[in-house]
């Protein structure tokens, strides 16, 4: 996405002194990384990561304690301890960082930096999902206590000429020996380079100064950045936030669905209450085959796959009168037709009457993990098909936010490769 105008109406990305693990002080760089905080499935994922290495970054992004205040205090104490012991150290020169992820035929490159914060109505950084205030409060408490941006948000922009500006600097930098290289257990190879030359930094900054970005992943953390900025009298380091910017003209992101696990709704009850208003039919497993059936159905209209006991049920063809009564009318038609819109307005709110609270709904990025958790809890897994990226971008340009957790853009940056201290 591009805009015309001066550098004042676009992205402002600046270098910072990266905070990074000292390889000699940890078992391996792969063992101290983590997925973003909201992708880690609690508690199993936290336990697994904590046991991978005593210095795994999950101890900072998801500290384990009985109260929010205790968790935040523990994270701050852990960060201070790791700095004092030389587990983490600050890079001597301010830098922008080129970050690469590679797995099989998939290659993604972008640039990590500190991005000037802006409100949605400025049209510079475009959100596409709503956020939950309690999650923002939780993340704000953690960042405030640690005085650090612990993981980069994933933002996308649309570049043009690959031989100039940020694209040229990124590709040329990636031809050098990296600062670090590691392969995580999901099979992704990660490499990181520092851009310290002032001329290269200026070229990146100038190019991005005419562009706008879409938040691909990290809406709650962006809202947290804005809340913390309001708490500090400008200008301060809190006027910027840690981001990874990826040019999707060169490196298109993958878009996946985010699924729902309904903790207190047994599958039989879920199916019984939708049968009068949707078409419900059993479909063959195993899960990958059932997901293919879901994908085929999603091409023709709203479609959901329900499971929780090892069986699979396709829910399609909602009653149009019911949609008219339950889906708000003050949004574009493309928004009203979204699966996530129909799920929340018609199924969760109207038919199942389930509030969108953490004790009722768990959001999970992996379909198999969602189904397995539903079976353990005797609940219902609602599996969705991903929305297309162009739909997300078009709605964001109109200033329309999607229902929260509608999409999962990836690959997401690994947490723990570079942090930003605010002290």
């Amino acid at each position: 996405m591009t805009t015309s105008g001066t550098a004042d109406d676009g992205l402002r990305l600046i270098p910072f002194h990266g905070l990074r693990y000292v390889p000699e002080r940890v078992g391996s760089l792969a063992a101290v990384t983590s997925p973003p905080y909201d992708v880690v499935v609690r508690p199993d994922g936290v336990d697994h990561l904590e046991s991978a290495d005593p210095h795994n970054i999950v101890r900072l992004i998801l500290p384990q304690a009985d109260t929010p205040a205790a968790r935040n205090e523990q994270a701050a104490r852990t960060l201070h301890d790791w700095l004092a012991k030389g587990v983490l150290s600050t890079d001597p020169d301010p830098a922008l960082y080129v970050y690469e992820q590679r797995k099989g035929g998939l290659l993604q490159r972008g640039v990590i930096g500190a991005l000037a914060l802006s409100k949605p109505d400025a049209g510079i950084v475009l959100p596409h999902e709503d956020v939950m205030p309690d999650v923002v409060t939780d993340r704000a408490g953690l960042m405030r206590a640690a005085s650090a941006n612990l993981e980069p948000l994933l933002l996308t922009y649309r570049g043009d000429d690959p031989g100039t500006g940020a694209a040229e600097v990124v590709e040329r930098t990636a031809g050098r020996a990296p600062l670090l290289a590691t392969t995580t257990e999901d099979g992704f190879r990660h490499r990181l380079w520092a851009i310290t030359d002032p001329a290269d930094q200026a070229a990146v900054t100038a190019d991005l100064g005419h562009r706008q970005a879409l938040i691909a992943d990290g809406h709650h953390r962006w809202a947290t950045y804005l809340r913390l900025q309001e708490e500090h009298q400008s200008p301060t380091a809190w006027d910027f936030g840690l981001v990874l910017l990826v040019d999707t003209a060169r490196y298109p992101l993958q878009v996946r669905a985010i699924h729902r696990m309904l903790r207190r709704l047994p599958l039989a009850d879920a199916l019984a209450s939708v049968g009068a208003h949707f078409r419900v039919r059993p479909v063959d497993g195993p899960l990958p085959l059932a997901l293919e059936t879901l994908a085929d159905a999603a091409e023709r209209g709203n479609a959901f796959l329900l499971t929780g006991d090892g069986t699979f049920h396709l829910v399609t063809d909602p009653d149009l009168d019911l949609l008219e009564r339950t889906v708000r009318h003050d949004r574009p038609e493309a928004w009203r037709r979204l699966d996530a819109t129909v799920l929340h307005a018609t199924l969760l709110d109207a038919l199942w009457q389930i509030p969108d609270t953490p004790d009722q709904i768990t959001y999970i990025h992996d379909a198999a993990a969602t189904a397995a958790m539903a079976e353990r809890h005797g609940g219902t897994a609602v599996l969705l098909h991903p929305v297309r990226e162009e739909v997300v971008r078009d709605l964001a340009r109109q200033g329309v936010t999607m229902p929260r957790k509608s999409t999962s853009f990836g690959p997401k940056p690994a947490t723990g490769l570079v942090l930003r201290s605010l002290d």
Side-chain angles (χ1 to χ4, degrees), residues 38 65 72 80 101 154 163-164 174 186 228 230 234 245 277 285 317 324 329 336 340 393 421:
D38 58 339
N72 298 335
H80 182 270
Q101 294 160 277
L154 176 60
T164 63
D186 57 5
L228 292 172
E230 291 178 354
S234 295
L245 278 162
H277 306 283
D317 302 292
E324 281 297 301
H329 290 262
R336 301 185 75 245
R393 183 177 291 110
S421 173

Side-chain angles (χ1 to χ4, degrees), residues 30-193:
V32 295
T33 64
S34 163
Y37 80 98
D38 58 339
V39 181
V40 178
V41 180
R42 298 195 200 198
D44 303 357
V46 174
D47 294 341
H48 172 71
L49 291 165
E50 285 190 340
S51 63
D53 189 285
H55 302 109
N56 189 282
I57 192 70
V58 78
R59 295 178 184 273
L60 298 184
I61 63 171
L62 289 172
Q64 300 298 291
D66 293 335
T67 67
R71 290 195 294 270
N72 298 335
E73 181 182 334
Q74 180 173 305
R77 188 169 57 247
T78 300
L79 178 58
H80 182 270
D81 183 56
W82 290 357
L83 286 167
K85 293 180 177 178
V87 175
L88 292 167
S89 70
T90 304
D91 285 341
D93 299 315
L96 300 173
Y97 296 87
V98 173
Y99 175 50
E100 175 187 284
Q101 294 160 277
R102 186 190 295 266
K103 181 180 181 181
L106 189 154
L107 171 65
Q108 179 173 289
R109 285 186 187 135
V111 59
I112 294 175
L115 184 66
L117 305 182
S118 60
K119 299 289 179 62
D121 56 10
I124 297 172
V125 175
L126 305 176
H128 70 266
E129 287 186 359
D130 296 327
V131 298
M132 293 187 70
D134 61 320
V135 178
V136 176
T137 298
D138 175 74
R139 290 293 99 185
L142 180 67
M143 283 191 212
R144 192 185 297 114
S147 192
N149 298 153
L150 300 173
E151 44 187 338
L153 282 62
L154 176 60
L155 274 59
T156 72
Y157 71 97
R158 301 285 293 178
D160 32 43
D161 185 353
T164 63
E168 188 277 331
V169 174
V170 166
E171 299 306 310
R172 175 164 45 81
T173 302
R176 305 197 314 252
L179 281 177
L180 64 86
T182 190
T183 301
T184 45
E185 64 178 8
D186 57 5
F188 272 96
R189 178 172 171 80
H190 308 263
R191 297 200 294 171
L192 190 76
W193 297 262

Side-chain angles (χ1 to χ4, degrees), residues 235-269:
T236 72
W238 297 91
D239 293 327
F240 296 81
L242 184 64
V243 304
L244 165 65
L245 278 162
V246 174
D247 177 1
T248 53
R250 291 185 59 76
Y251 301 106
L253 270 64
Q254 297 177 325
V255 188
R256 293 190 172 94
I258 301 177
H259 312 290
R260 278 73 168 153
M261 201 287 284
L262 312 181
R263 290 178 169 271
R264 301 181 183 178
L265 181 68
L267 179 62
D269 294 349

